[in-house]
Amino acid sequence: MRATSGPRRWPASAVCAYPCGKTEVSAGYWCESLLIDGTANAGVRLEVDAAGRIARVQRGVAAEAADIRLGTVLPGFGNAHSHAFHRALRGQTQGDGGDFWLWRERMYRIATQLDPSRYQALATAVFAEMLVSGYTTVGEFHYVHHRPSGEPYTTEHAMELALAAAAREVGIRLVLLDTVYLQGGIGRELSPEQRGFGDGGAAGWLARWRSLRARLAGDELVTLGAALHSVRAVPPDAMREVLHGLPPEVPVHIHLSEQPQENEDCLAAYGLTPTGLLDSLGALLPRLSVVHATHATDDDRNLLGDAGVTVVMCPTTEADLGDGIGPALALASAGASIALGSDQNAVIDPFLEMRGLEMGERLAAQKRGRFAPAALLAAASSAGYAALGLGRHRLQPGDPCDLVEISTISMRTIGSVPGQLALTATASDVVRVVVGGRLVAECGQLVGGARPATLIADALARLST
């Protein structure tokens, strides 16, 4: 950024009127208004250490000469559940009717076209769109491991490293949730479209996971988590082996009760709901995040809440696929944490996920104000970070300096009090994004000048949707 004689200040609007900045860690940010735990604090200065973490928080102070000055700032958003390659279907399937299962067949056809080069290009574009929309972290639920035939690539971990390279290129934090996917349904072999997902068994997956973890060790932006695709795709013995083979600090995610058929199949095969099956395996622990839980029973909700698991809701996807309205408030009341994800990336907008969570509850209950705005912000930020094993994200000393500046003078936000921006803003109101103390995006483009629309156009041109 250009040196100035006083504090650096850019216009608090959604129109970019200044040159792109560099990506070195800034020593300090001064925020005109900073939302901490959902409450607006005026004149907050954040000192940042060399590792990109907050070293000191000062409230009610003036900016110092070298500070970068921001307007209204929120904690960076954590996207706790993403399938980057599903973005290729945006605008391709919405008019087809049908249900989740019909959509899945189209998704498999995209998966079979992916190779490391195409996947990196697509993921770079999707991660770029996430970043300029306010997501500072993404949990990528990744299961396209091998060639469509099931044969491994010549370069070990080629697909996983492609995702890591995409995250580094745009500057977003990535938690790679490397996923176990061993069968095509309960008691069924992988279909031809699914062969690239499998590792032969739990032992094969664990060996690959451990090798990948060593390969990614020490990466500044990319960390490795784990996922069990679902009770449909991983048999109980394999789930048990994987859970026992993973270090206890590693976050584990799983799709859970997204569709009634999943519940019915699990009951028929094991005499238990998917949640009950996980409970029987000792999997219900605070490190576990279950995705969707749309059709969780009352008993399931109590089990999940008592165990202190996180439930990752994906409102725009659950609506788009006709899955149903998940019992988010009931799960939260039972003791579960609620986080949010963009899932199929038909929509990439953390504000729309927050509103979708709240509006689903309002429609189900026919009452307003089900989740307070502060609770929505926590679901979109700190709960997502915790679910991805990244620790605390409340803009306190020791937390990552991951920030999102929001315009408060757009036609959507003007007149809003800061604490209610979760219910009025959209991704279009994101002005600047900071990850690890570095300015990485501003006014809809990456700091280096790349525009997500150009990146996605180039990536889609390499696929047949």
Side-chain angles (χ1 to χ4, degrees), residues 49-100:
D49 64 22
R53 293 189 171 271
I54 296 171
R56 186 183 184 194
V57 179
Q58 297 171 282
R59 307 188 192 198
V61 299
E64 296 190 2
D67 288 345
I68 294 175
R69 296 184 64 176
L70 305 174
T72 296
V73 179
L74 312 180
F77 297 119
N79 186 351
H81 187 71
S82 163
H83 301 289
F85 79 91
H86 292 185
R87 166 62 181 85
L89 292 176
R90 184 189 297 179
Q92 298 287 326
T93 64
Q94 273 75 9
D96 293 350
D99 56 12
F100 166 84

Side-chain angles (χ1 to χ4, degrees), residues 1 109 242:
M1 293 163 216
R109 292 205 293 270
V242 165

Side-chain angles (χ1 to χ4, degrees), residues 142-167:
H142 164 65
Y143 51 81
V144 189
H145 303 302
H146 310 296
R147 300 179 192 273
S149 65
E151 293 297 315
Y153 287 96
T154 303
T155 301
E156 191 178 20
H157 311 304
M159 295 294 263
E160 292 72 34
L161 295 178
L163 289 169

Side-chain angles (χ1 to χ4, degrees), residues 99-298:
D99 56 12
F100 166 84
W101 306 102
L102 179 62
W103 169 88
R104 190 178 71 158
E105 296 305 314
R106 290 285 302 275
M107 179 268 288
Y108 284 157
R109 292 205 293 270
I110 295 295
T112 59
Q113 296 181 52
L114 296 176
D115 59 23
S117 177
R118 287 172 174 170
Y119 206 3
Q120 183 171 336
L122 183 57
T124 298
V126 175
F127 292 163
E129 184 180 356
M130 288 180 188
L131 198 64
V132 303
S133 300
Y135 286 119
T136 49
T137 287
V138 56
E140 182 62 25
F141 199 106
H142 164 65
Y143 51 81
V144 189
H145 303 302
H146 310 296
R147 300 179 192 273
S149 65
E151 293 297 315
Y153 287 96
T154 303
T155 301
E156 191 178 20
H157 311 304
M159 295 294 263
E160 292 72 34
L161 295 178
L163 289 169
R168 292 188 208 102
E169 184 172 345
V170 305
I172 195 170
R173 292 188 194 278
L174 169 66
V175 178
L176 185 59
L177 297 167
D178 196 275
T179 303
V180 191
Y181 201 130
L182 302 177
Q183 59 184 12
I186 295 175
R188 298 202 302 270
E189 293 184 356
L190 293 172
S191 69
E193 297 84 3
Q194 297 169 323
R195 287 173 185 159
F197 308 163
D199 286 293
W205 181 87
L206 279 166
R208 188 176 56 75
W209 186 90
R210 290 171 182 139
S211 173
L212 179 60
R213 193 185 200 202
R215 184 71 178 267
L216 295 175
D219 196 296
E220 181 181 345
L221 279 179
V222 181
T223 56
L224 186 62
L228 305 160
H229 181 272
S230 60
V231 300
R232 291 181 287 107
V234 189
D237 287 347
M239 283 196 279
R240 184 181 291 108
E241 185 175 350
V242 165
L243 291 167
H244 289 171
L246 288 170
E249 72 276 8
V250 172
V252 178
H253 289 221
I254 184 171
H255 294 120
L256 187 79
S257 293
E258 181 177 6
Q259 291 288 321
Q261 184 178 328
E262 179 184 321
N263 288 6
E264 294 163 8
D265 291 350
C266 193
L267 282 165
Y270 308 119
L272 296 166
T273 65
T275 299
L277 180 60
L278 293 179
D279 184 48
S280 74
L281 297 172
L284 298 186
L285 297 168
R287 75 164 174 175
L288 182 71
S289 292
V290 301
V291 183
H292 304 303
T294 309
H295 300 284
T297 67
D298 290 345

